[in-house]
């Protein structure tokens, strides 16, 4: 294939290079995947206002997210098992993000550990925290993120229990994992992926194995994961986490204006309007459809970010126009990573930046900080 021009091109390449079970893991949503689909399709109903005879020189996409400078309002989202899309995936993606001047967010459920990522980066990255029942473990993660000089903690609020993804269950990605000869063949039929994997020792959950009590291998990890997501997580826990962390805090996974108000009451620095990429509550509305109501409810009290369904720079611009101070891309960078490693993540970011820049210009704006609802022509 010629040089990928779109995120969809990267997706096709990733599908050819990454074993089915891991490609599907990144590419799936819960149950019927209706929310996953709506996250993407609801963007296309938003129409942009074309302007002409406006000076379009000297454009800039630079802005801030939670007061930190970013070259464009796009962070890499925390994504589980990133290191299974490509060997050392989190380290490669973090380096691509750093070179691009955008935040990288490391998931608790990553393959490479906090320390691995810190060892290859110089710019502070963000750390995503799942609150587990074992609060000593949670405290340990917070302290490791502090030691690595992470510049924000992204607390995920929408995974108190794990949503059910049919593709994962059919692919054997269950707890415990269930690998049959079919799955082994899926891996063997992706030789470049296998060769890269053989070169690295990082193939399991680096933040957990060897750190959580009695978790020493994949089997004990499966049991641990099953029982550790904390179904009693509440706003009171957020106060405890905020106190332990003491730095910038972002609450991710808010989809309702009432929850957004409660999140703003915690004194967090930002919320991320998100339905976990359609991987949790199937049937929930898309992130972009809920953004205006949430901005109305809390936009004057807390920074509002958006995650879910972004597949182009146009989508980023639409989210910014509707009040998001920043956005997150998950699958677009995972496709790039799976397709071509670090170079693919850089390509994904470059594609999004170019699309955002051209769209902003054709909407008659030169500075992302001046993009607002005036660039929206309407909805279909
Ligand atoms: C094996 C545990 O954010 C996702 C991730 C985290 C899920 C935990 C998987 O897949 O949505």
């Amino acid at each position: 294939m010629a040089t990928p021009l779109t995120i969809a091109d990267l997706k096709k390449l990733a599908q050819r290079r990454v074993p089915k079970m891991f490609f599907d893991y990144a590419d799936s949503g819960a149950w019927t995947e209706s929310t996953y689909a709506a996250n993407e399709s609801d963007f296309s109903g938003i129409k942009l206002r074309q302007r002409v005879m406006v000076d379009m020189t000297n454009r800039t996409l630079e802005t801030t997210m939670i007061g930190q400078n970013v070259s464009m309002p796009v962070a890499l989202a925390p994504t589980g098992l990133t290191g299974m899309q490509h060997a050392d995936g989190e380290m490669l993606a973090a380096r691509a993000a750093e070179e691009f001047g955008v935040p990288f967010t490391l998931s608790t459920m990553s393959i490479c550990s906090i320390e691995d990522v810190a060892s290859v980066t110089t710019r502070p990255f963000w750390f995503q925290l799942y609150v587990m029942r074992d609060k000593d473990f949670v405290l340990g993660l917070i302290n490791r993120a502090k030691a690595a000089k992470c510049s924000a903690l992204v607390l995920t609020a929408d995974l108190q229990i794990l949503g059910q993804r049919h593709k994962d269950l059919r692919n054997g990605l269950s707890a415990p994992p269930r690998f049959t000869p079919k799955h082994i063949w899926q891996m063997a039929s992706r030789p470049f992926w296998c060769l890269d994997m053989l070169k690295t020792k990082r193939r399991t959950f680096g933040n957990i194995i060897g750190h959580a009590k009695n978790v020493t291998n994949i089997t004990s990890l499966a049991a641990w994961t099953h029982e550790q997501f904390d179904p009693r997580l509440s706003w009171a826990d957020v106060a405890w986490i905020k106190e332990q962390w003491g730095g910038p805090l972002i609450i991710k996974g808010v989809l309702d204006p009432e929850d957004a108000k409660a999140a703003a009451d915690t004194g967090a620095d930002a919320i991320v309007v998100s339905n976990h990429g359609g991987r949790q509550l199937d049937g929930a509305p898309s992130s972009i459809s809920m953004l205006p109501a949430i901005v109305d409810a809390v936009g004057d009290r807390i920074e509002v970010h958006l995650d879910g369904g972004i597949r182009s720079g146009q989508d980023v611009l639409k989210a910014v126009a509707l009040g998001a101070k920043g956005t997150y891309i998950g699958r677009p960078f995972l496709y790039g990573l799976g397709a071509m490693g670090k170079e693919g993540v850089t390509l994904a970011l470059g594609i999004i930046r170019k699309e955002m820049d051209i769209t902003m210009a054709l909407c008659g704006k030169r500075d992302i900080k001046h993009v607002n609802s005036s660039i929206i022509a309407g909805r279909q």
Side-chain angles (χ1 to χ4, degrees), residues 25 78 80-81 107 109 130 159 162 165 205 225 229 276 279:
Y25 175 77
L81 282 74
S107 167
M109 292 294 168
Y130 277 123
L159 204 139
L162 192 60
R165 299 130 196 197
F205 295 78
T225 309
F229 286 107
H276 213 99
R279 297 161 77 78

Side-chain angles (χ1 to χ4, degrees), residues 8-27:
D9 291 343
L10 288 172
K11 178 174 174 174
K12 276 187 210 143
L13 289 176
Q15 195 158 15
R16 281 191 224 149
R17 192 181 178 285
V18 180
K20 183 175 175 350
M21 69 178 74
F22 298 121
F23 176 81
D24 281 356
Y25 175 77
D27 201 42

